[in-house]
Amino acid sequence: MRRASKTAGAVFKPKRTSLLSWWKHHGLSAHGSALRIIQAPLGNLMTIMVIAIALALPSGLQVLISNIEGLTGGWQVSSQISVFMRHDIDAEQTDAIAEDLRRRDDVNRVDIITPEQALAEFQAHSGFAEALQTLESNPLPSVITVTPSAQATRDGRVGELQTHLASLNGVDNAQLDRNWLDRLAVIIQLAHRSILVIGTLLLIAVLLIVVNTIRLDIENRRQEIEIAKLIGATNAFVRRPFLYTGLWYGLCGAIIAVILVNIAVALLYGPASTLARLYGSSASPDFLGPVASLGLLLLGSILGLIGSFISVSRHLRAVEPS
Amino acid sequence: MIRFDQVSKRYDGGHQALQTVNLALAAGEMAFLTGHSGAGKTTLLRLIALLERTSQGQVLIDGHNLARVKKRHIPYLRRQIGIIFQDHRLLADRSVFDNVAFPLLISGFSPRDSAGRVRAALDKVGLLHKENALPITLSGGEQQRVGIARAVVAKPAILLADEPTGNLDPALSQEIMDLFVQFNQVGVTVLIASHDLDLISRMGKRMLTLDKGQLVADSARVTQ
């Protein structure tokens, strides 16, 4: 007896349970936890809907932003080229150049801003009005603003046009005015960053929802867990159904999120296409693609699994048989 | 089979539940553990199933020191011990059959393999006809028999029972005790905690008496 006690403990180790029975218990747990969710549809549906909305918001915003990005290609239509004349070119010569430009088929519209107009505008808006009045002569050049035709923009010939304008006799410089497009790009970048922040927060929310729901689930099934532990259930055995519950929550939430986002795109489809057409773009709004949808399903499942794992490892240990 | 060497158990609150208890139960032996409430009967049983750890001394099962059983291996110890509780501890939302099959499910039996064993265990306690019933629809005696079927279904070498007849009338109590005797007759080591002195003295088995955490009488021999 004493001798035997030296090597004690070793017998109470896992017998090699077959992989098949382990796999079968996974099947039972997955099936059982799915049944549990279906059996209490209302409460679980609410949890799943909260997860779905939390997942749908950032992915919906992402779809919106990428659609806007798709449109901005068409919006270059309204870009302008500012052609600055040399100082020795007078108003008549400027008019002649403008007249020539109007006849080009890659040009939509040509306007002239005289030095006087430019000065007046500058004085009105720059806040240097008094300083400018002390100047003896107007330092500003004549400017011709050229709006390229939609066709030229679509064909990518705006750069070519700009080079041509810059090479004209009497022209000092030709600048493609993309300021507001650049601003839009920054705004879109900002939107991307915001989605990242909002998305992260909402993903944390999903995690917390799962953690809390599983915690309540554990609390409700406390007696069952105690009994299972009393008759020799391992922690892994007890944990398994809860992990599957979390997985189902995440997966179902993600499936509904994919549906919600696509419904939203469908609702916006008509007006958005019209808007795109008005800006000379033939683009129509994109739905959540198959890859993005699968990604969302995967994300939802992983979040559900992580959430339930956190909950289970925090709360299951506390349930000890009494 | 079960051996206590100088075992003491003091709970965190300072309550001394057991004090230097020595006892040995041979394989295939059946014994009753008796004493007033709070004498330490339940604590003694809990030490065997590693529901508690000793404060001092050693508990040995089949020669193996339980102090050396790692926490993660405790489930495998419990699978070799059948435990019966006064309050049955059945799963209320599962049928009698599923309750009895639960230990087999935990041990990794497939439902198909376990069905035969579950029915044999239910037949043994005379409840085969109630296999689809929910525990709540059964009488107290029947629920206790379901608990017994669950404890024996995995064919453990040791059977522990904590006041198994606590809420039952004398006739039903006698039936339950007779069941334990039957399991003992096929070689299972049985240890039953009970304060029903009338009943257990009629059984003619070994009696261990605890008082304030100390083993004060052992009908097999004079202690200390």
Side-chain angles (χ1 to χ4, degrees), chain A residues 12-33:
Chain A
F12 306 121
K13 270 192 181 163
K15 291 193 189 107
R16 281 178 49 190
T17 45
S18 73
L19 198 63
L20 186 69
S21 73
W22 177 82
W23 182 246
K24 273 185 177 163
H25 186 250
H26 268 276
L28 282 173
S29 306
H31 182 240
S33 54

Side-chain angles (χ1 to χ4, degrees), chain B:
Chain B
M1 193 60 163
I2 301 172
R3 187 184 158 116
F4 278 58
D5 273 348
Q6 306 280 331
V7 171
S8 295
K9 173 66 186 176
R10 177 189 282 270
Y11 285 106
D12 287 342
H15 172 63
Q16 186 80 34
L18 289 177
Q19 199 148 22
T20 49
V21 171
N22 288 295
L23 71 86
L25 229 68
E29 199 176 352
M30 179 164 176
F32 289 101
L33 193 58
T34 188
H36 298 291
S37 349
K41 303 190 292 289
T42 301
T43 300
L44 195 147
L45 294 183
R46 289 173 66 84
L47 289 173
I48 298 172
L50 274 182
L51 289 160
E52 302 287 351
R53 298 268 189 183
T54 57
S55 306
Q56 274 157 26
Q58 302 181 335
V59 179
L60 298 112
I61 302 288
D62 205 12
H64 302 289
N65 186 351
L66 294 191
R68 291 167 188 251
V69 176
K70 292 189 183 106
K71 197 173 178 203
R72 66 194 160 93
H73 290 149
I74 291 176
Y76 305 99
L77 164 75
R78 291 193 189 143
R79 288 178 198 181
Q80 296 177 38
I81 301 173
I83 312 177
I84 291 134
F85 310 90
Q86 181 176 1
D87 55 356
H88 325 310
R89 298 268 189 149
L90 302 177
L91 299 172
D93 61 342
R94 306 214 193 152
S95 70
V96 166
F97 183 96
D98 287 345
N99 265 285
V100 176
F102 200 32
L104 298 178
L105 180 69
I106 284 171
S107 305
F109 284 78
S110 75
R112 203 181 312 144
D113 297 338
S114 61
R117 282 194 179 211
V118 172
R119 298 223 164 81
L122 279 173
D123 193 27
K124 187 82 189 157
V125 300
L127 284 175
L128 194 49
H129 61 292
K130 299 256 180 160
E131 66 172 33
N132 293 320
L134 285 177
I136 194 82
T137 64
L138 303 181
S139 70
E142 285 172 327
Q143 289 190 32
Q144 192 53 280
R145 283 189 281 159
V146 175
I148 293 170
R150 183 181 67 189
V152 299
V153 73
K155 301 194 171 133
I158 298 173
L159 210 50
L160 303 177
D162 193 2
E163 300 284 359
T165 62
N167 301 322
L168 303 179
D169 63 46
L172 281 172
S173 300
Q174 185 66 52
E175 274 179 39
I176 298 289
M177 288 304 179
D178 290 342
L179 267 175
F180 284 119
V181 171
Q182 287 174 37
F183 289 118
N184 177 241
Q185 279 165 353
V186 295
V188 180
T189 308
V190 182
L191 182 58
I192 300 168
S194 172
H195 62 258
D196 191 348
L197 279 171
D198 275 355
L199 177 64
I200 60 182
S201 53
R202 279 205 305 274
M203 303 298 294
K205 299 286 181 186
R206 184 176 170 190
M207 263 171 70
L208 304 158
T209 310
L210 282 171
D211 185 33
K212 294 184 185 112
Q214 288 181 303
L215 193 61
V216 292
D218 182 347
S219 66
R221 62 192 160 94
V222 179
T223 46
Q224 277 128 33

Side-chain angles (χ1 to χ4, degrees), chain A residues 72-83:
Chain A
T72 52
W75 285 359
Q76 280 183 9
V77 170
S78 31
S79 66
Q80 282 183 339
I81 301 169
S82 300
V83 182

Side-chain angles (χ1 to χ4, degrees), chain A:
Chain A
M1 206 79 164
R2 280 242 175 254
R3 251 178 74 83
S5 74
K6 303 281 184 205
T7 58
V11 274
F12 306 121
K13 270 192 181 163
K15 291 193 189 107
R16 281 178 49 190
T17 45
S18 73
L19 198 63
L20 186 69
S21 73
W22 177 82
W23 182 246
K24 273 185 177 163
H25 186 250
H26 268 276
L28 282 173
S29 306
H31 182 240
S33 54
L35 271 184
R36 254 168 207 286
I37 292 176
I38 294 165
Q39 276 161 3
L42 201 67
N44 287 310
L45 192 67
M46 288 213 279
T47 304
I48 289 170
M49 282 309 289
V50 172
I51 294 171
I53 291 168
L55 287 174
L57 268 175
S59 27
L61 285 174
Q62 183 59 49
V63 168
L64 187 71
I65 291 301
S66 33
N67 276 319
I68 289 175
E69 277 180 312
L71 283 181
T72 52
W75 285 359
Q76 280 183 9
V77 170
S78 31
S79 66
Q80 282 183 339
I81 301 169
S82 300
V83 182
F84 297 92
M85 308 308 294
R86 283 210 313 265
H87 282 285
D88 55 334
I89 304 298
D90 61 22
E92 270 172 40
Q93 284 170 299
T94 306
D95 279 341
I97 292 170
E99 207 47 51
D100 282 345
L101 290 176
R102 283 196 180 97
R103 283 195 284 272
R104 288 180 65 101
D105 64 350
D106 55 357
V107 168
N108 189 28
R109 189 189 158 102
V110 176
D111 296 296
I112 297 171
I113 303 170
T114 62
E116 293 72 31
Q117 283 172 335
L119 186 65
E121 198 176 326
F122 197 49
Q123 281 178 327
H125 296 296
S126 70
F128 290 117
E130 282 173 27
L132 287 167
Q133 272 164 8
T134 64
L135 290 173
E136 283 174 8
S137 64
N138 186 349
L140 297 173
S142 299
V143 178
I144 304 174
T145 60
V146 177
T147 307
S149 71
Q151 188 60 43
T153 306
R154 266 198 293 281
D155 298 346
R157 286 192 276 123
V158 177
E160 212 177 294
L161 179 62
Q162 182 196 0
T163 319
H164 171 75
L165 293 173
S167 71
L168 286 175
N169 201 17
V171 169
D172 187 31
N173 188 10
Q175 270 184 3
L176 189 57
D177 182 10
R178 309 182 37 111
N179 266 353
W180 79 271
L181 267 182
D182 291 341
R183 274 184 214 128
L184 183 69
V186 174
I187 289 171
I188 287 176
Q189 211 183 352
L190 199 66
H192 272 302
R193 200 63 66 83
S194 312
I195 289 173
L196 201 68
V197 173
I198 295 169
T200 309
L201 289 176
L202 285 171
L203 294 189
I204 292 171
V206 169
L207 212 59
L208 294 179
I209 292 161
V210 175
V211 168
N212 197 44
T213 309
I214 299 289
R215 182 183 67 84
L216 292 174
D217 204 15
I218 291 172
E219 210 49 54
N220 284 336
R221 295 168 70 184
R222 198 183 182 90
Q223 208 196 0
E224 182 182 340
I225 296 166
E226 280 185 20
I227 293 170
K229 284 194 170 183
L230 275 174
I231 60 181
T234 56
N235 279 330
F237 180 95
V238 175
R239 191 159 53 212
R240 218 164 280 152
F242 294 104
L243 293 184
Y244 273 104
T245 305
L247 179 70
W248 294 139
Y249 279 143
L251 184 62
C252 294
I255 290 172
I256 294 177
V258 169
I259 295 171
L260 285 180
V261 170
N262 283 324
I263 287 177
V265 175
L267 287 176
L268 298 176
Y269 197 90
S273 301
T274 313
L275 183 69
R277 225 177 5 262
L278 288 175
Y279 277 98
S281 164
S282 58
S284 52
D286 289 326
F287 286 90
L288 200 59
V291 176
S293 301
L294 276 180
L296 194 57
L297 297 189
L298 197 67
L299 181 69
S301 308
I302 290 173
L303 283 175
L305 208 54
I306 294 175
S308 55
F309 194 83
I310 293 171
S311 194
V312 157
S313 29
R314 278 200 49 198
H315 300 289
L316 219 48
R317 242 173 266 278
V319 184
E320 276 301 326
S322 54

